[in-house]
Amino acid sequence: MCGIVGYVGKANATDILLEGLEKLEYRGYDSGGIAVSGRDGVVVEKAKGRLTALREKLDRDGRPDGTVGIGHTRWATHGEPSDANAHPHRSGRVTVVHNGIIENYLSLRQRLIQKGYEFSTETDTEVVAQYLDYYYQKNHDPLTSIIKVLHRVEGAYALGILFKDHPDTLYAVRKDAPLIVGKGKEGNNLIASDATALLKHTRDVYYLENNEIAVLTADSIGFFNVDGDPVEKEESRIDWDESAAEKGGYEHFMLKEMYEQPKTIRDTLNPRIKDGNVVIEELGMTDEEIRNVGRIHIVACGSAYHTGVTGKYVFEGMCRIPVEVDLASEFRYRDPILGEKDLVIVISQSGETADSLEALRITKAAGIMTLGIVNVVGSSIAREADKVMYTWAGPEIAVATTKAYSAQLIALYLLAIRFGQALGTVDAKATASMISELKRLPDQIELLLNNKEKIQNFANHYLAAQHIFFIGRGIDYAIAMEGSLKLKEISYIHSEAYAAGELKHGTISLIEEGTLVNAIVTQDALFAKTVSNMVEVKSRGAFVMAVTNEGNTEIENTADLVIYIPQTNRFFTDSLAIIPLQLFAYYVSVGRGCDVDKPRNLAKSVTVE
Ligand code: BG6
């Protein structure tokens, strides 16, 4: 979704807004714009395309001068990417930037047209600017005007607002879209869609709750609810530092984040290993409460959903507890059958994905226990779930997730071991052996990352591929799903993942001479079965690359290329086998000249439906 930033203080707002937008560009990059309040009133500058286009325009036309401003980087939903549809949007004395969707914008638009307003864009956001202006003309009070509008608009929104008559003040509002307020040093205050845009200035923040309004000046920050009553808020401190949101010398954030996976796994694992045992304090469930859990539902989107699929195999295999895995966008509308003793686990890197957040709310409304596995501290899912287990991956900037995916797997493994202990399916000996295998994963991943040349050379043969398939059985099928998604996300090559046993029921018709099939073969019990599926596609002319455990050399009789991963517990192979698949996708993307970190049409967290 979009990224918004705002600043009020002593410094030149334009510089600070552009820096903040650069940090937020992974949220959407269809257009960029700023509005700065200064001697010349509120000056708006915006341009279609990347922020570079906006910078070029500012270099050409001059930079607005002022110490108060708002900025926006767009992921288009309503109205194509264009200069006109770019934010900020102005109406009369009001200028607005918006992240989210105004669902009833068409009816509001009609009402305003009847009141004589004319519209010049296709966006839903313009309605907000026009309606604010309508009420401001009536009562000349920003807060009252904002409250009036909030009572009329439906949907999700984070707004940054400037009123021409109040040049020293920045207004912000939030409902179902992320927005945090940064308390800067000595008379500098900020708003932003996420912490990465604030870290250069402050780590002291306020998390806006739904329907809260913030009023910022250089020296004060006030909060109000939708009735206009002042609200006291607690300050929080972010423990990420600025460098965490930098590339650190890597060519791409994705490559940096891939190389951060060993550290991410240690940071997510070690706080939950105490005296050789798995201790998940934040779970806060006794053995008996765990034994009372009737069924687990895992709900998520994108790559987080894929960790959920792996989670199902791990929980059912290790704990013999039934697990359902759902795409959040399906779960929220299928009226799921939830037992009162069930546990719903919502997995999300950003903690703001709209479908996952809504799935959580539906579950809570049904009185069912919820656990969030989340990476962004203070995000909506983290704050609204009954329990939250953080994945300590730090800020993840690349749109295609890698380190957060790996941390989510670790969280699921730890939960499964904890449940297995309570259910009596995992004894102390098994716990000790699994803990030592988990602790070996970071070094094993480092090894795989450092042997990247073989994958890089292999990837360079497939830069022009039209179709690439991934196959696997059991947990390997879940790994294949993620491998395929990584490739699609950043290389735009059509790719599918299939349960290997399903091929012969139709899909094998797609295999022709030279088609690349990546087979994931890490489950020893399914080794022979998967190899026979490899033989099937080979007989149709496919080139087969296999990812398998060290020692499985007989696979070389079938596969054209073999990538070996170090031995580990059968439940943990995903954490190793995904590495060569991440590298494959990365080098195909780089080879095709794609924008690895900001792939077309995608965004890091989708806060709209
Ligand atoms: C997509 C991201 O927008 O959302 C994916 O590009 C991600 O990488 C998916 O897996 C789900 O996001 P989240 O934040 O809920 O894990």
Side-chain angles (χ1 to χ4, degrees), residues 184-262:
K185 302 180 186 63
E186 291 111 36
N188 295 281
N189 293 317
L190 304 105
I191 60 168
S193 296
D194 70 48
T196 53
L198 297 177
L199 289 175
K200 181 169 180 186
H201 308 283
T202 181
R203 293 160 65 183
D204 301 321
V205 300
Y206 298 94
Y207 294 105
L208 275 187
E209 297 300 335
N210 270 354
N211 297 317
E212 281 184 348
I213 303 161
V215 179
L216 292 77
T217 66
D219 309 308
S220 69
I221 302 175
F223 301 100
F224 303 84
N225 60 23
V226 279
D227 303 321
D229 308 322
V231 176
E232 282 305 311
K233 291 189 71 66
E234 210 179 301
E235 201 177 295
S236 307
R237 188 153 175 86
I238 295 173
D239 56 18
W240 296 341
D241 63 30
E242 193 190 351
S243 66
E246 304 290 341
K247 270 193 204 147
Y250 287 88
E251 196 189 344
H252 297 103
F253 277 108
M254 184 176 176
L255 191 64
K256 175 198 175 211
E257 290 156 6
M258 284 158 64
Y259 275 83
E260 285 178 338
Q261 292 181 105

Side-chain angles (χ1 to χ4, degrees), residues 301-304 347-351 353 356 399-401 408 489 603-606:
C301 301
S303 296
I347 308 177
S348 175
Q349 185 285 127
S350 62
T353 301
S356 304
V399 168
T401 180
Q408 287 158 4
E489 279 177 309
K604 183 67 186 167
S605 122
V606 178

Side-chain angles (χ1 to χ4, degrees), residues 296-462:
I296 293 176
H297 301 257
I298 301 178
V299 183
C301 301
S303 296
Y305 169 76
H306 294 151
T307 67
V309 178
T310 297
K312 173 181 173 68
Y313 288 103
V314 173
F315 267 103
E316 292 190 344
M318 203 188 281
C319 313
R320 305 310 296 149
I321 187 169
V323 177
E324 285 186 28
V325 189
D326 264 289
L327 290 164
S329 52
E330 288 297 311
F331 180 92
R332 62 180 294 184
Y333 291 115
R334 79 171 173 85
D335 192 13
I337 300 168
L338 302 171
E340 64 182 30
K341 291 211 175 110
D342 290 359
L343 171 67
V344 173
I345 302 177
V346 177
I347 308 177
S348 175
Q349 185 285 127
S350 62
E352 299 291 354
T353 301
D355 288 321
S356 304
L357 180 56
E358 199 48 37
L360 175 85
R361 290 178 175 156
I362 287 168
T363 306
K364 287 195 70 177
I368 310 298
M369 170 90 79
T370 56
L371 166 67
I373 295 180
V374 177
N375 190 48
V376 176
V377 176
S379 58
S380 305
I381 291 175
R383 284 184 288 126
E384 295 187 28
D386 298 304
K387 302 166 187 294
V388 59
M389 191 174 174
Y390 281 118
T391 52
W392 302 118
E396 190 175 61
I397 309 294
V399 168
T401 180
T402 51
K403 62 177 182 175
Y405 171 90
S406 289
Q408 287 158 4
L409 289 175
I410 296 297
L412 289 165
Y413 301 156
L414 290 167
L415 279 170
I417 295 171
R418 177 72 187 86
F419 270 59
Q421 291 169 333
L423 292 159
T425 58
V426 175
D427 61 18
K429 188 160 165 285
T431 300
S433 117
M434 284 196 276
I435 287 176
S436 66
E437 285 176 304
L438 286 173
K439 287 196 166 186
R440 271 203 294 277
L441 287 175
D443 294 341
Q444 293 173 321
I445 289 173
E446 241 151 52
L447 213 64
L448 287 166
L449 288 167
N450 295 335
N451 292 336
K452 62 177 183 302
E453 281 70 28
K454 188 175 179 180
I455 297 274
Q456 188 170 9
N457 299 337
F458 169 57
N460 289 334
H461 294 289
Y462 288 91

